[in-house]
Amino acid sequence: MTAKSDPALLPPLPGEGRGGGKRPLKPRGVEGRVPPSQPSPGRGRSNAKAVKAALDAWFTSRAWKPFKFQREVWKAVAEGKSGLLHATTGAGKTYAVWLAALLALSRARKETARPAAPPLTVLWITPMRALAADTLRALHQPLEALGAEVHPWSAGARSGDTSSAERSAQNQRLPTVLVTTPESLSLLLARADAREVLGHVRMTVVDEWHELLGNKRGVQVQLALARLRRWNPGIAVWGMSATLGNLREAMHALLGHENGVLVQGQVPKKLVIDSLLPGRAERFPWGGHLGLTMLPQVIEEIAGSKTTLVFTNTRSQSEIWYQALLEAKPEWAGTIALHHGSLDREVRAWVEQGLKSGELKAVVCTSSLDLGVDFLPVERVLQIGSPKGVARLLQRAGRSGHAPGRPSRITLVPTHSIEMVEGAAARSAIAAGHIEARHSPDQPLDVLVQHLVTVGLGGGFVPDDLYAEVRATAAYQNLSRESWQWCLDFVSQGGASLAAYPDYRRAVPDAEGVWRVPDARLARRHRMNIGTIVSDASMAVQYLAGAKIGSVEEGFVARMKPGDCFLFGGRLLELVRIHDMTAWVRRASGKRAAVPRWNGGRMPLSNTLADAVVQQLALADEGRYDSPELRCVRPLLEIQQQWSALPTPQTLLAETLTTREGSHLFLYPFAGRHVHLGLASLLAWRVAQHEARTFSIAVNDYGFELLSATDVDWPTLLPQVLRLPQGEGAQAHAVLLHEVLASLNAGELAQRRFREIARVSGLIFQGYPGEKRSSKQLQASSSLFWEVFRKYDPDNKLLQQAEQELLAQELEIGRLRESLVRMATQQLVLKPLARPTPFSFPLMVELFREKLSNESVADRIARMVEQLEKAAGGVVTAGGVERVKSTLVFGQEGTGKPPAPKREGRRDRRKPSRPLPPL
């Protein structure tokens, strides 16, 4: 909304054109009946006129004028249509959809006494509990402005943060508009009176749809919307997003059909993307080599702004940077804060309130502040390290200037030299409108099994009717009768291998053929474990005096002994004892501290950003150093060009090097670390088919290394092992799947995926509130099911799902195949090396890290950098062993390592570098 007034703020009512023509409105309802909350067609226009007049007055009082996209949404909702609204962060999406709901669904007040609020009419689904509270505050403002003009609406939120008193009151009567999360909506669907309390819902809004679309929580939302549509076919569904590249597909996933209205908010908004550049770019970098070198410049940027968000990609890095800022600027204590998902909820709430009020000068944070919580005072956003994707960069940039007309600015702070190229690449990709696509998971049966039990609790179901309902979703549109019957068998008896156990008879048909949950105890267990968010078992961190700080992963604390110190929540803590899944601590000082590590910290570079990086390298290859980032990193790129070559979209660069360790191959597909791990394993396996060899593997986002202790004829073998599988279509895909699975220890990797699936599907009960279960207990349970199914039920579809998720999510098999196809079209440029290049050196360091201690790695890096700089005609060194050692922590975000592939003819000397974390 712009800061202007307009006497005709809102669009004409349906049936009223600018020329005054009218047409009758068609009432919407279930089976031809008008729901009780819907005004009759005869008085609909007069009601809407009163609401429109009240909202006009509210807009005028704020000197606002609606944007064109807001008017489009208001018109579409008034006509009973569903759709997707895509607009920049802070453009006014919330008011576009919310005011549309008020215009279309609220009624003018006729009674003099205050009437009761209408029943639940609007559901507002948000991916975050913190966002639910912020959204509720935004929805209240126009409700209060309507005052006595309309039938009063009540508003409330229901999530894991809702108090027991408020939850109890909502159990008696839900508010007219309810802001909730996917998990809490599923809990509502599990109520015995679900149809009665949700059957009046006329509109459902899904906020931040891009955040849900690509994961199982989005599938959970799709299933819930299908249930609501069955009870009220005329329900309007609207999604909101700011960072999606495949809008039509995203809208289809939300609505289940192609007939929605796509509204794109083209609001003029200045976006500034720049980089903090070091005084010089080291020509031979390693992961995280800049360490805290950029700290003085970061401090200067924070000091020059009113409020700054400092984003890191991992919770470990946020702890390190927050502590470094405090040590450098102790006078900032109390005005800077730390925010990540492992901190206690009350701590996070305090930080969020400090941001809203403008009391905090800076907050070091992770993705916990990515989404649309409205922090108007934030002027600047700093991104430490690569954002890994264009959409993530845009999302974080939108945290600054979060209002129409205010500029957004994000500044990239590189953690190693090559990341500077990503800054220029991201700016170029955004200018070209290139944003990553997100796709709905395909038929995750663990989510469907959970949904069957939920619906069985929420009034029961008839299988044929529910099958048609489920197939109306994008995720299950191709669900076969065979898979459906397997799911029914699984919830009724646990499948072929668990039929003797009554705990797995979770939904069975009654005398009338309606499937229900037969046992109250099983019903309680299911309600306590609804949801698809699965994380590693965590351990509470609590002071001896009683105050809770947050939680860390159990595996981290399990390696510590009393007296050890660690950094958490910006505090140096000493472990006193571990009892009842709680780490009891006290404040410490002057001791060397470990930094907690959380699994899941290694995000791969997206295809969109990787392609943009290669385009920037192609410009450098032509001698075009137009951006500040390319000019800064020019010395590195020129050495790479002199000693080898630069990758381009038309060429695939490979380098070979012989050292005392053996024969090295470096290949640069620029496909992200997940794909590179799969490609490296695949190529090693294919080479081993010619002659048994042992390979060590290192990967990063730009390429990978294969190291063999014996000589390899790469000029002859490499073109052969880069080939595409023979055959066409499905046959070639099946061959590739076989080769990829054969090249890895797929059984162990799939078993780790199965742990998540077992929890979501309800095989594993994670405990009642307050009950502490260790990760060892949960892993033992999932391992038992894994072995039982493999031995007695090998066709169990959850086993198949584990393998499919491994391929699709951890190894990104689709992207891996696309990479092979692209490489087949590129010209292979094979460069024999006399010494490591700026691109190959970081991969060599990855191998050192796996085999040597930090002291030995630091010593070797310092020695090699000195030798390489001399060969390059420079005098710059790595700064000494101690300086190198201090930077090594910045390249170690991930801790888990999958077991090395075990196969005759090839045994890794070590586990793959930078692999996916264990679950």
Side-chain angles (χ1 to χ4, degrees):
M1 285 136 320
T2 56
K4 297 178 183 178
S5 61
D6 188 330
L9 291 170
L10 303 184
L13 301 172
E16 295 182 57
R18 290 289 183 187
K22 298 183 179 181
R23 63 179 183 274
L25 294 177
K26 296 181 180 180
R28 293 183 291 113
V30 183
E31 299 173 349
R33 294 181 290 105
V34 179
S37 60
Q38 180 174 337
S40 67
R43 66 177 189 271
R45 287 190 295 274
S46 61
N47 288 335
K49 282 181 179 179
V51 177
K52 176 181 179 297
L55 290 177
D56 271 343
W58 183 63
F59 264 64
T60 302
S61 68
R62 295 189 162 214
W64 283 354
K65 178 183 178 182
F67 288 121
K68 181 176 179 291
F69 79 87
Q70 292 173 320
R71 292 177 179 274
E72 291 177 19
V73 174
W74 296 339
K75 181 175 183 293
V77 173
E79 295 172 352
K81 296 178 180 178
S82 299
L84 175 68
L85 169 58
H86 190 267
T88 56
T89 300
K93 295 188 295 293
T94 298
Y95 283 140
V97 178
W98 176 226
L99 297 186
L102 291 176
L103 280 166
L105 304 177
S106 57
R107 295 183 286 127
R109 179 189 290 188
K110 295 189 179 296
E111 304 88 343
T112 54
R114 181 176 179 84
L120 178 60
T121 304
V122 177
L123 268 174
W124 198 286
I125 303 172
T126 175
M128 288 177 60
R129 290 179 291 181
L131 193 54
D134 199 66
T135 299
L136 185 59
R137 282 190 288 269
L139 302 189
H140 264 300
Q141 294 181 16
L143 278 182
E144 295 166 357
L146 291 177
E149 299 297 326
V150 302
H151 199 81
W153 279 28
S154 56
R158 189 179 182 98
S159 69
D161 292 343
T162 305
S163 67
S164 57
E166 184 176 358
R167 194 182 298 270
S168 178
Q170 290 177 356
N171 287 339
Q172 301 301 315
R173 182 180 179 85
L174 287 167
T176 312
V177 55
L178 181 67
V179 183
T180 189
T181 59
E183 293 73 27
S184 291
L185 176 56
S186 291
L187 279 168
L188 289 175
L189 290 173
R191 289 174 51 153
D193 60 348
R195 182 163 190 166
E196 286 71 24
V197 299
L198 296 173
H200 294 289
V201 173
R202 304 262 310 284
M203 183 171 177
T204 301
V205 180
V206 184
D207 201 356
E208 308 283 3
W209 176 229
H210 60 274
E211 187 68 20
L212 297 168
L213 170 60
N215 55 49
K216 291 180 181 179
R217 297 183 77 207
V219 176
Q220 194 177 4
V221 170
Q222 292 182 46
L223 290 169
L225 292 176
R227 180 106 288 229
L228 295 175
R229 275 193 293 267
R230 182 173 186 82
W231 293 335
N232 184 356
I235 190 172
V237 176
W238 279 84
M240 297 191 296
S241 177
T243 52
L244 274 172
N246 52 331
L247 296 178
R248 288 288 175 184
E249 181 183 346
M251 185 170 67
H252 175 256
L254 178 69
L255 305 182
H257 58 77
E258 304 285 356
N259 299 323
V261 177
L262 178 60
V263 178
Q264 298 190 60
Q266 304 295 334
V267 178
K269 185 176 178 69
K270 184 179 181 181
L271 173 63
V272 178
I273 302 172
D274 54 13
S275 300
L276 277 186
L277 302 175
R280 71 179 194 291
E282 295 191 28
R283 296 188 288 185
F284 300 96
W286 58 95
H289 74 91
L290 287 175
L292 292 171
T293 304
M294 304 297 293
L295 180 62
Q297 289 168 266
V298 169
I299 290 174
E300 184 178 347
E301 295 298 317
I302 293 174
S305 301
K306 180 181 178 182
T307 304
T308 303
L309 290 180
V310 182
F311 277 104
T312 66
N313 288 336
T314 68
R315 285 167 280 185
S316 303
Q317 296 302 303
S318 68
E319 293 277 356
I320 293 172
W321 274 90
Y322 174 71
Q323 193 65 28
L325 287 170
L326 272 184
E327 290 176 357
K329 300 288 288 186
E331 65 272 22
W332 282 357
T335 62
I336 66 172
L338 177 67
H339 191 290
H340 59 66
S342 292
L343 295 175
D344 188 62
R345 179 172 62 87
E346 292 185 3
V347 175
R348 298 198 306 271
W350 176 85
V351 174
E352 291 162 13
Q353 186 55 44
L355 278 172
K356 289 185 178 72
S357 64
E359 296 174 4
L360 292 176
K361 186 163 189 61
V363 174
V364 183
C365 55
T366 62
S367 58
S368 58
L369 289 183
D370 266 3
L371 298 184
V373 181
D374 189 1
F375 301 129
L376 286 178
V378 175
E379 293 180 349
R380 292 287 303 279
V381 172
L382 302 180
Q383 166 67 44
I384 306 293
S386 167
K388 302 295 185 181
V390 177
R392 184 176 295 108
L393 179 70
L394 284 171
Q395 189 71 36
R396 293 181 173 180
R399 299 302 96 219
S400 65
H402 195 271
R406 293 181 57 184
S408 294
R409 182 181 180 188
I410 187 167
T411 301
L412 304 180
V413 183
T415 60
H416 65 83
S417 294
I418 302 177
E419 273 184 354
M420 286 182 255
V421 181
E422 291 187 37
R427 194 164 51 245
S428 172
I430 291 171
H434 296 161
I435 305 176
E436 291 85 7
R438 305 196 189 193
H439 308 284
S440 172
D442 184 33
Q443 302 182 48
L445 296 186
D446 54 344
V447 183
L448 182 54
V449 164
Q450 183 185 110
H451 184 68
L452 290 181
V453 182
T454 297
V455 176
L457 283 170
F461 64 89
V462 176
D464 285 348
D465 293 344
L466 187 57
Y467 177 61
E469 177 184 315
V470 166
R471 289 200 66 193
T473 65
Y476 299 101
Q477 60 186 348
N478 297 317
L479 181 70
S480 68
R481 274 285 181 181
E482 177 197 1
S483 295
W484 174 249
Q485 187 58 51
W486 182 90
C487 291
L488 291 175
D489 293 341
F490 191 76
V491 298
S492 63
Q493 62 179 18
S497 55
L498 300 175
Y501 300 91
D503 275 3
Y504 301 103
R505 289 175 53 82
R506 292 180 288 166
V508 294
D510 61 13
E512 298 177 352
V514 179
W515 286 54
R516 306 181 191 277
V517 177
D519 185 278
R521 181 179 62 88
L522 294 179
R524 286 193 300 272
R525 285 178 52 161
H526 179 77
R527 288 191 178 101
M528 296 310 307
N529 288 273
I530 279 179
T532 60
I533 300 176
V534 180
S535 59
D536 290 316
S538 60
M539 186 174 289
V541 180
Q542 194 165 349
Y543 284 123
L544 289 174
K548 186 179 178 181
I549 311 169
S551 60
V552 296
E553 288 184 3
E554 180 189 350
F556 170 75
V557 180
R559 292 191 294 269
M560 303 185 72
K561 59 182 184 294
D564 286 351
C565 293
F566 63 101
L567 196 64
F568 182 65
R571 306 171 179 91
L572 183 61
L573 306 174
E574 179 184 335
L575 178 65
V576 178
R577 64 175 180 270
I578 299 173
H579 178 67
D580 196 22
M581 289 297 289
T582 300
W584 296 93
V585 299
R586 58 180 167 225
R587 295 293 291 266
S589 61
K591 297 183 179 180
R592 184 173 178 178
V595 179
R597 301 213 173 276
W598 288 268
N599 289 331
R602 298 295 272 182
M603 298 177 289
L605 195 69
S606 75
N607 259 353
T608 302
L609 187 53
D611 291 345
V613 168
V614 176
Q615 291 287 351
Q616 292 296 312
L617 295 177
L619 294 177
D621 190 53
E622 298 171 1
R624 295 170 55 187
Y625 294 88
D626 301 328
S627 66
E629 292 88 354
L630 284 183
R631 287 193 291 271
C632 184
V633 79
R634 182 170 184 168
L636 180 154
L637 298 179
E638 287 181 338
I639 289 294
Q640 175 69 31
Q641 206 170 20
Q642 291 171 20
W643 291 2
S644 175
L646 288 172
T648 71
Q650 293 76 36
T651 60
L652 173 65
L653 175 62
E655 299 171 338
T656 59
L657 176 67
T658 301
T659 67
R660 63 187 183 188
E661 280 87 9
S663 176
H664 303 256
L665 171 72
F666 305 99
L667 197 68
Y668 305 100
F670 280 80
R673 63 177 58 251
H674 289 180
V675 172
H676 290 161
L677 177 60
L679 281 173
S681 301
L682 175 63
L683 265 60
W685 180 83
R686 286 178 173 179
V687 170
Q689 306 313 297
H690 296 270
E691 181 181 351
R693 295 180 185 275
T694 298
F695 286 98
S696 294
I697 297 172
V699 303
N700 61 22
D701 277 320
Y702 311 128
F704 61 86
E705 174 188 5
L706 291 178
L707 171 61
S708 172
T710 58
D711 289 339
V712 181
D713 183 10
W714 287 116
T716 301
L717 284 176
L718 188 56
Q720 299 177 33
V721 297
L722 284 175
R723 72 184 188 281
L724 287 168
Q726 295 181 349
E728 297 292 334
Q731 180 185 0
H733 185 67
V735 172
L736 179 61
L737 290 182
H738 167 74
E739 290 185 328
V740 170
L741 291 173
S743 70
L744 292 161
N745 186 8
E748 174 62 23
L749 294 172
Q751 184 175 354
R752 293 194 292 111
R753 296 297 308 182
F754 181 77
R755 293 173 196 165
E756 286 190 5
I757 293 168
R759 296 190 209 181
V760 172
S761 64
L763 282 172
I764 299 175
F765 178 51
Q766 299 181 67
Y768 294 109
E771 184 180 358
K772 309 291 179 87
R773 293 200 174 193
S774 69
S775 61
K776 287 185 178 180
Q777 289 174 302
L778 296 176
Q779 288 178 16
S781 298
S782 65
S783 297
L784 177 61
F785 283 115
W786 171 265
E787 295 300 333
V788 168
F789 289 161
R790 282 168 59 89
K791 187 172 183 180
Y792 300 106
D793 189 10
D795 294 328
N796 190 294
K797 290 189 178 295
L798 296 186
L799 296 180
Q800 298 171 22
Q801 182 182 337
E803 183 177 291
Q804 291 164 0
E805 287 189 8
L806 166 68
L807 290 167
Q809 298 176 26
E810 295 196 22
L811 299 176
E812 298 188 66
I813 189 67
R815 192 173 170 188
L816 189 152
R817 176 170 174 74
E818 290 172 3
S819 298
L820 284 174
V821 171
R822 185 183 69 250
M823 288 189 290
T825 66
Q826 292 176 310
Q827 178 187 353
L828 178 62
V829 177
L830 185 60
K831 294 286 187 177
L833 303 178
R835 61 187 67 84
T837 61
F839 280 18
S840 62
F841 182 65
L843 289 166
M844 296 186 74
V845 172
E846 294 292 318
L847 279 182
F848 300 158
R849 279 177 162 159
E850 297 294 337
K851 297 187 289 186
L852 304 173
S853 67
N854 272 5
E855 288 80 1
S856 300
V857 170
D859 182 67
R860 186 157 188 186
I861 289 174
R863 250 192 355 260
M864 289 185 67
V865 169
E866 187 172 357
Q867 294 168 358
L868 291 171
E869 282 290 350
K870 286 181 179 177
V875 294
V876 180
T877 69
V881 174
E882 286 305 314
R883 188 260 168 186
V884 172
K885 187 177 174 183
S886 70
T887 69
L888 294 180
V889 68
F890 290 91
Q892 298 177 340
E893 289 94 335
T895 57
K897 305 178 181 70
K902 297 178 180 179
R903 180 180 54 259
E904 184 177 355
R906 174 183 171 232
R907 286 185 186 272
D908 284 351
R909 291 192 302 234
R910 48 164 222 93
K911 301 172 185 179
S913 174
R914 287 295 185 279
L916 298 164
L919 298 176

